[in-house]
Amino acid sequence: MIPLDLSLADVPSLPVHAARLLAKEGVKTVADVVWHLPFRHEDRRHMQAMAFQAGPLPSCHHVLVTKTGNKFFGGRSGVFEAVVRHATGLLGQQLTLKWWNMPFMSRVIAEGQELIVYGVIKDSKGRLSMSHPEYEIVKGGADDDAEQIHTGRITPIYRLKGAMTQKALRVAVWHVCQALPVSFVDDLLPTPSAEGEFAGQTRALALREVHFPSSMEKLEQSRRYLALEEFYGYQLRVARRKRRVIESGGRKQIGTGELLRDFFNELPFQLTTAQQRCLDEIHRDMASGAPMNRLLHGDVGSGKTVVAFAAMLRAVESGRQAVLMAPTQILAEQHARNARKWLEPLGLRVALRTGQTRQTSPTGQTEIVIGTHALLHDAELMHNTGIVVIDEQHKFGVAQRAKLIRKGDTPDVLVMTATPIPRTLTLTIYGDLEVSTIDQKPRDGVKIVTKVRPKTKLKDAAKFLREQIEEGRQGYIVYALIDESDKLEAGAATKGYEEWSKLLAPCEVGLLHGRMSAEEKEDVMKRFRAGKLDALVATTVIEVGIDVPNATVMFIHDAGRFGLAQLHQLRGRIGRGAHMSYCVLFVDDKDEENRQRLAIMEETSDGFQIAEEDLRRRGPGDVLGHAQSGQAPLLFGELLADTRLVRLARQLAEKTLDEDPQLLRPALATFRDEPVIAEKAQAMMQ
């Protein structure tokens, strides 16, 4: 029995040099090693009995060392080489193993040793070589182990830091696993049923299998079990937070319906069935007496703003104030323009508060307050707040949202996003919210043609854009960077502005990016909206809050650097008027991987389908990081694409809270054994 807090230096049989190397990089205890999980595995079980063969994929061979030696090329630069042949002796073919600038390998590898080697074989003028292979000494060396650790098995590959090496870390994990008792950690999940996918599975067994799998099937089952366990811990916190909101008590907001009736009468269109359904869900929450905590999401152009304004009017009818917070000045000002156009004719006063602007009604208190995070620092504008609407809520951190909400008197909360969210993420990131989905667009006639094209077609693109401008249209040209970078191979807006000004001359071209002042940004956008600029070169600052119906063309440079969901958001800036629109995604000529990835953008304009594909291909990234959830990133975040697994975690969490809420604290306390996500435990316990 060894405790999880035992120093690696005290682990039986663990080589001193391995413990010392890992300690320098902060991996000092048994727990540090246990929770340093592999990020992938390589199947090295099958030895290649055939002749050595060059190719792009790594292969595994059992070899005999026939010759060794160092070669130096001046100074300390050099290479250690070991000539080997198949250990069976049946094949006389030779392979040269090479370790560059590692002369000490002459004290490790010697003639007569048998090795298991794993790596990519290259052919240089008929000479076969393998550089820096993974190896294990089978016989005749001080590094000999009774069991194969590095090769001849499904081998774990770890993320490294500093001077840490795969071999030292793998050796440490192996010896730790050998020394640990069968049940070295308590289970977090409720006991699995005797049947089903996780029958007989435990936390300790899963951790052993993830490090050194006995089969690919057991590896997959263990990863899914640990993912379920992690999702369960997350869902416990989310479900409890949701219940606390319900129990906190609110105020019924019903109203007379007069403002809403006048608002709908003035609109030049009718709500879609999806918009009306979402609005009914929101109004039902507001009338319940419990605080509303709801997410409204939908595709680009689905009409979320109208629904939000209708919800805000219900609060005003109930004698309370409505507040809308947007992440950027551009988006806040657009909301303010729409509010003044639609709501001021109803006799309501609209105030705008951004970092640069404080516009209020000349008399009395305002019913509608719109602004950026500057609202957090303006106590005078907000009073008796009945509803807080947070647009593009993923742009705000948890603390910012909470601070705004605390300014009201237990207000109803409606958060909006134009990014369609896969079902699994609504259960995790927004699991404490009720969800309303606008899955229908009010405009069906405007088509956006999307094409993936090589960068070399810029002159053809410029000709096409000029033709569109001559027909009275406008266009966006989007870059990933503001300025050129030595570290990143991507086009930059500042240089692109110069190039496109020449390509489109004498047409007027503008520049918009995040480092410009608020006044400069607003001046550029006013000119573009007024048609005084024919094209706008910009960064992703235009991703939200830009609505220019006359813009029908969008070129996106280095499109491979963007996620599919973000590309869809950018594309949503066009197709907002009555004219056919065109989006061109430029990639490197030979970038076949991104051409295939972006093909879905040509095939569909369904944001929900694109979001699911984006999640499947890229995983959620750090979407569950500090800014969004207050937690450390998930170790098995890529499995969030597994709807069944996430739903099971939610069901288990709800069951725990229903049957015995007192189980919550002991269950979450088990996270304390995991240094990687210790911060998560503290957040959950609050």
Side-chain angles (χ1 to χ4, degrees):
M1 296 285 288
I2 64 171
L4 288 172
D5 60 357
L6 182 71
S7 169
L8 288 182
D10 298 325
V11 174
S13 304
L14 177 60
V16 175
H17 71 274
R20 188 179 298 127
L21 176 62
L22 296 179
K24 289 180 180 178
E25 304 304 331
V27 180
K28 301 178 180 180
T29 68
V30 169
D32 291 340
V33 167
V34 167
W35 286 103
H36 195 110
L37 300 181
F39 74 97
R40 65 182 179 89
H41 295 77
E42 293 177 348
D43 192 347
R44 304 178 181 180
R45 291 174 294 182
H46 306 295
M47 302 298 163
Q48 300 294 328
M50 64 188 72
F52 301 124
Q53 187 172 0
L57 299 177
S59 56
C60 195
H61 300 269
H62 183 186
V63 299
L64 174 69
V65 180
T66 60
K67 183 181 179 181
T68 64
N70 277 306
K71 291 183 179 179
F72 294 96
F73 308 107
R76 301 180 63 181
S77 176
V79 58
F80 171 75
E81 294 184 345
V83 180
V84 301
R85 63 174 174 80
H86 274 94
T88 60
L90 298 178
L91 298 171
Q93 189 184 26
Q94 291 186 333
L95 173 71
T96 302
L97 309 179
K98 297 184 177 184
W99 285 270
W100 298 90
N101 298 318
M102 297 174 65
F104 61 84
M105 289 298 296
S106 62
R107 300 191 297 273
V108 180
I109 306 296
E111 293 178 19
Q113 287 179 341
E114 288 186 32
L115 310 176
I116 303 295
V117 296
Y118 181 84
V120 175
I121 297 177
K122 295 183 178 180
D123 187 340
S124 177
K125 298 180 180 179
R127 297 187 63 184
L128 300 177
S129 65
M130 184 186 287
S131 294
H132 292 276
E134 287 271 354
Y135 71 93
E136 184 166 3
I137 301 172
V138 180
K139 296 179 181 178
D143 196 31
D144 185 21
D145 285 301
E147 301 284 346
Q148 293 178 338
I149 298 176
H150 312 289
T151 49
R153 63 161 50 253
I154 301 171
T155 307
I157 307 298
Y158 299 92
R159 298 192 189 280
L160 304 175
K161 57 182 179 178
M164 192 185 293
T165 65
Q166 286 288 348
K167 200 162 190 181
L169 181 54
R170 205 177 289 134
V171 166
V173 176
W174 173 264
H175 286 287
V176 162
C177 287
Q178 299 306 303
L180 284 170
V182 175
S183 298
F184 61 90
V185 287
D186 294 331
D187 291 331
L188 172 62
L189 286 171
T191 304
S193 63
E195 301 177 356
E197 179 182 0
F198 301 112
Q201 187 65 273
T202 66
R203 195 182 207 198
L205 179 61
L207 285 168
R208 290 180 189 277
E209 284 288 337
V210 163
H211 283 294
F212 289 102
S214 55
S215 69
M216 283 297 193
E217 294 74 22
K218 287 288 184 66
L219 169 61
E220 179 61 19
Q221 183 192 47
S222 296
R223 292 188 80 255
R224 289 174 58 78
Y225 179 85
L226 292 174
L228 175 63
E229 175 188 274
E230 193 170 26
F231 299 165
Y232 168 72
Y234 191 93
Q235 293 292 350
L236 280 173
R237 178 196 177 196
V238 166
R240 187 174 65 165
R241 189 167 63 208
K242 181 175 181 178
R243 296 187 182 202
R244 281 180 173 175
V245 169
I246 295 173
E247 294 165 359
S248 64
R251 291 164 58 179
K252 291 184 178 181
Q253 300 191 86
I254 299 175
T256 62
E258 294 179 9
L259 282 176
L260 281 168
R261 185 186 62 244
D262 294 343
F263 174 59
F264 291 137
N265 287 339
E266 292 298 320
L267 288 178
F269 53 81
Q270 286 189 327
L271 296 188
T272 64
T273 302
Q275 285 175 306
Q276 187 61 57
R277 183 190 70 245
C278 292
L279 184 57
D280 290 343
E281 292 169 350
I282 292 168
H283 283 169
R284 188 162 55 246
D285 282 357
M286 296 179 73
S288 70
M292 178 175 71
N293 206 21
R294 183 169 286 275
L295 166 70
L296 175 65
H297 75 131
D299 212 339
V300 175
S302 60
K304 294 177 295 298
T305 303
V306 172
V307 174
F309 280 171
M312 294 166 72
L313 287 177
R314 174 55 56 88
V316 173
E317 285 184 342
S318 302
R320 304 183 73 184
Q321 184 189 63
V323 175
L324 189 156
M325 185 166 74
T328 67
Q329 178 166 335
I330 291 175
L331 184 53
E333 289 174 344
Q334 177 175 301
H335 281 312
R337 280 193 300 273
N338 287 332
R340 287 175 179 137
K341 178 176 70 175
W342 290 343
L343 305 184
E344 283 188 344
L346 304 178
L348 303 182
R349 291 158 292 194
V350 178
L352 173 64
R353 178 71 167 95
T354 70
Q356 306 292 326
T357 307
R358 193 179 194 279
Q359 302 171 358
T360 59
S361 176
T363 58
Q365 293 180 323
T366 50
E367 293 88 0
I368 306 293
V369 177
I370 297 173
T372 61
H373 62 277
L375 288 173
L376 300 174
H377 310 290
D378 195 329
E380 297 178 15
L381 271 178
M382 296 179 62
H383 64 93
N384 191 29
T385 303
I387 186 171
V388 174
V389 179
I390 302 174
D391 196 8
E392 291 302 328
Q393 65 80 42
H394 60 283
K395 303 286 186 181
F396 294 101
V398 171
Q400 286 179 309
R401 297 200 299 268
K403 185 174 181 181
L404 180 66
I405 293 167
R406 283 197 300 269
K407 282 179 170 286
D409 179 17
T410 318
D412 288 330
V413 177
L414 178 67
V415 297
M416 299 195 300
T417 178
T419 302
I421 304 167
R423 174 61 179 161
T424 56
L425 296 192
T426 63
L427 287 170
T428 48
I429 311 172
Y430 312 113
D432 57 332
L433 307 179
E434 300 297 335
V435 179
S436 292
T437 303
I438 305 181
D439 50 9
Q440 178 184 8
K441 288 187 179 182
R443 295 190 305 270
D444 296 321
V446 179
K447 181 176 177 60
I448 301 178
V449 177
T450 302
K451 296 295 180 183
V452 181
R453 291 290 183 263
K455 284 182 177 180
T456 51
K457 299 292 185 180
L458 283 188
K459 288 188 177 179
D460 293 341
K463 179 182 177 183
F464 175 75
L465 179 53
R466 185 187 293 276
E467 291 171 353
Q468 287 287 302
I469 292 172
E470 289 173 354
E471 292 180 12
R473 309 281 83 78
Q474 295 166 278
Y476 299 102
I477 303 162
V478 181
Y479 286 86
L481 306 176
I482 297 176
D483 299 314
E484 288 188 298
S485 169
D486 294 332
K487 298 180 180 179
L488 300 175
E489 294 183 6
T494 50
K495 185 176 181 181
Y497 169 69
E498 298 174 2
E499 293 175 350
W500 283 98
S501 294
K502 295 175 183 177
L503 286 169
L504 298 176
C507 298
E508 290 292 326
V509 179
L511 175 65
L512 186 69
H513 58 72
R515 286 211 299 263
M516 297 168 65
S517 68
E519 292 83 357
E520 290 172 324
K521 292 177 190 174
E522 178 58 20
D523 178 63
V524 170
M525 284 310 305
K526 280 182 179 178
R527 293 169 63 203
F528 190 63
R529 278 193 294 265
K532 295 180 180 178
L533 294 176
D534 300 302
L536 185 61
V537 176
T539 59
T540 55
V541 70
I542 67 164
E543 184 180 347
V544 294
I546 306 296
D547 187 1
V548 181
N550 195 47
T552 59
V553 179
M554 174 169 284
F555 297 153
I556 302 179
H557 288 265
D558 299 296
R561 297 187 59 83
F562 299 90
L564 296 176
Q566 187 175 28
L567 288 172
H568 182 62
Q569 282 291 301
L570 289 166
R571 180 171 62 177
R573 298 309 101 202
I574 59 175
R576 305 178 80 85
H579 304 283
M580 177 83 79
S581 296
Y582 308 88
C583 179
V584 182
L585 309 175
F586 289 108
V587 297
D588 288 334
D589 297 22
K590 299 180 181 179
D591 191 352
E592 188 58 33
E593 181 181 348
N594 269 315
R595 287 184 66 87
Q596 293 180 11
R597 182 175 72 90
L598 299 177
I600 191 172
M601 298 293 296
E602 296 179 315
E603 298 165 4
T604 183
S605 59
D606 184 336
F608 288 94
Q609 183 179 342
I610 290 170
E612 292 283 358
E613 178 68 10
D614 207 22
L615 177 64
R616 186 185 70 80
R617 284 180 172 270
R618 297 200 310 159
D622 64 349
V623 77
L624 295 176
H626 297 281
Q628 301 310 317
S629 66
Q631 292 188 202
L634 290 176
L635 300 176
F636 298 93
E638 82 281 0
L639 288 175
L640 278 173
D642 189 327
T643 305
R644 188 170 63 86
L645 200 63
V646 174
R647 283 179 173 162
L648 178 57
R650 184 55 174 257
Q651 291 167 6
L652 290 173
E654 294 284 1
K655 184 179 179 182
T656 299
L657 292 176
D658 287 339
E659 293 181 353
D660 189 354
Q662 298 304 315
L663 289 176
L664 180 64
R665 187 169 293 273
L668 296 177
T670 61
F671 275 124
R672 292 174 182 171
D673 293 336
E674 309 167 23
V676 176
I677 49 178
E679 183 178 349
K680 178 188 300 183
Q682 296 173 11
M684 289 180 177
M685 300 294 281
Q686 291 174 358

